[in-house]
Each structure stands twice: as C-alpha cells, then as structure tokens.
Amino acid sequence: RERGVTSLSLLLGREVPLSGVMDRLEAQMAAVIGHASVDVAGAEQAIAILNGFNYHPAPVFQPYAAGTPYLAELNAAFYRAERAPEFVITSGYTIDNRLPNLDESKAGLIIAQRYSQVLAENGYRLLHRTATNDCALTNVASGEVTAGQPIQVSGGDYCEITMEASVLGRLARVIWMSPPVYARLERVGGYTETCRFVPSMARTGFIVPDKAISLTITPSPAQRLCFKRVILYEISRPGRPEPARY
C-alpha cells in the first residue's frame, strides 16, 4: 500500500499525502464504481490505474495533448458514443498552469451535458452518465476584442476564441514554436489568476470555469507580433439534456 501511494506521487508529478489516500478512494469511489467503466478527465490517469478500476480511456487519454480540432473531436465523439464510460473522474488539475477546462475542450462540453456529480473525495469528483443525448447551444454573445481587452463570460457557458497567427507567427511555428500566451481570469469577488492559454484549443471551445466573469488575453509584446490584432470570440449557453434511458 505504501509503495503504491509513493508510485502515485511519481506518476502524478506532485506530492500526494501518504496517509490513506488510496484507502479513502477505494472505500468510497470503488464502492460506487464497482466493475463499471471509468475514464479520467485531466492529467491524473494514475488514480484509475492504481485503484484497479475498469479503466476505459478516451483516444487521447491525456487531454492536454489534444491540441488540434481533429484530436478534440476524437475525444468528444468517444463520449458521445454508446461505448462511453459510465463514470468519469476529474480533479481539475492540469499541466503548465493552463486555464481550467481548456484541456478538455469539446469533450468537456459533452461531459458537462451527459454526466452529473455523485461523489467528491480527496479533491476528486466522480461523475456518472445520466444523459445520452446532446442538447442545443444558444448563442449569448459574440464579437471581437484586442489583446488586453476583457471578454465578459459566465461560468458554465461554452466559449470559442480565435486568435489568428500573423505571418511572423506562422514562420515561428515552422522554425520552432509560437511563444506561450497567457490569460487573466477574473472570478466573482474580484479573485484573479493568470493562466497559460493555448489558442489552438480555445478555437475549438471550452467550458468557462465556475464563477468566472471575465477573461483577458494578455500576450507580451513579443507574443503580440505572432498574432493578428483582433481576437474573435463566441459564447454559447448549453441547454438541459434529456435524462438517460437504459
């Protein structure tokens, strides 16, 4: 048991308390999951593997690597299919201090529509599939801003942001890579945080984090040279899906 939790720390890339972490997960999550299929949304797949769950991963099983529309759609299609896992475990943890929910992209929308939380334990949430259909998105806002101008958002909405690369930016991608972009997220109460922002993922869309009220793209002067001045955005509000019928 002790050795397993130490391995968990190594696999997750961060310190995990050694006192009973696995016991708490097994005692509650495993009792609910049983032998049903489960996936892990985020970067902590070790939770499912080391607990011996019936792990049923998405095609791009670590969503932070699904950085193109094609890969994002692969994962979204996986959650739409009949073979989608019955449960999903999520913690909200990601790599590189990325914007919350950005990695899950379009798959995050399907999870939000079709899964509901049944358990929270040790910083993880267990979601159960409760719907088998997509629901319509209603456009609530669209427009354009320039870097440094806030986009007014609301937690739970679906946001698509398009940053077109400039000629210099396209050249930088060919030679090496585009410089990293950051965004400032403001939540209710005036709380703000600066997060890594991945334009290729934002173009596909993502669920706006809870209690968010504005999102401001804040590239450095060097980063501004790699993107066109205008940033396009479209915000939609998911409807309520029909309950699952098994």
Side-chain angles (χ1 to χ4, degrees):
R1 176 74 62 183
E2 190 82 359
R3 180 179 177 182
V5 177
T6 302
S7 300
L8 180 62
S9 297
L10 294 174
L11 285 169
L12 297 183
R14 63 185 177 88
E15 188 62 30
V16 175
L18 298 181
S19 56
V21 170
M22 302 294 282
D23 287 327
R24 288 198 296 271
L25 285 171
E26 289 176 348
Q28 298 194 43
M29 285 195 176
V32 175
I33 295 171
H35 297 291
S37 57
V38 61
D39 189 19
V40 179
E44 299 185 275
Q45 284 68 33
I47 290 297
I49 296 169
L50 295 180
N51 273 284
F53 294 149
N54 179 15
Y55 182 39
H56 187 48
V60 186
F61 64 92
Q62 291 188 313
Y64 62 78
T68 68
Y70 173 76
L71 295 177
E73 178 55 37
L74 272 183
N75 278 2
F78 169 78
Y79 286 108
R80 290 193 195 100
E82 291 184 4
R83 63 187 180 92
E86 187 171 345
F87 291 94
V88 173
I89 299 172
T90 180
S91 68
Y93 172 75
T94 185
I95 66 169
D96 299 337
N97 190 37
R98 291 189 182 182
L99 183 71
N101 300 339
L102 185 62
D103 289 351
E104 280 69 32
S105 188
K106 189 179 291 186
L109 173 63
I110 307 303
I111 292 172
Q113 290 179 332
R114 299 191 176 202
Y115 290 78
S116 299
Q117 180 172 320
V118 294
L119 175 67
E121 168 63 18
N122 196 36
Y124 299 96
R125 297 189 304 135
L126 180 63
L127 312 179
H128 181 235
R129 186 161 50 123
T130 54
T132 55
N133 65 302
D134 293 338
C135 53
L137 294 174
T138 302
N139 181 270
V140 295
S142 61
E144 60 183 49
V145 295
T146 56
Q149 288 185 320
I151 300 172
Q152 303 304 315
V153 296
S154 181
D157 284 349
Y158 191 67
C159 184
E160 301 167 74
I161 297 177
T162 301
M163 296 179 65
E164 294 286 353
S166 65
V167 173
L168 183 60
R170 291 195 295 270
L171 181 61
R173 264 199 316 242
V174 171
I175 297 175
W176 178 234
M177 66 176 67
S178 297
V181 178
Y182 293 89
R184 185 174 65 251
L185 178 69
E186 182 180 1
R187 301 183 192 250
V188 173
Y191 174 73
T192 62
E193 56 187 303
T194 299
C195 308
R196 178 80 177 270
F197 185 81
V198 184
S200 62
M201 289 182 162
R203 178 191 293 267
T204 305
F206 59 94
I207 295 290
V208 176
D210 289 343
K211 299 182 180 180
I213 57 175
S214 74
L215 180 67
T216 308
I217 313 300
T218 57
S220 68
Q223 294 161 354
R224 289 171 189 255
L225 294 175
C226 292
F227 295 96
K228 295 182 178 179
R229 186 179 65 87
V230 174
I231 300 171
L232 304 177
Y233 68 90
E234 183 170 340
I235 302 173
S236 303
R237 187 154 296 157
R240 288 183 170 273
E242 293 290 330
R245 293 181 174 85
Y246 297 105

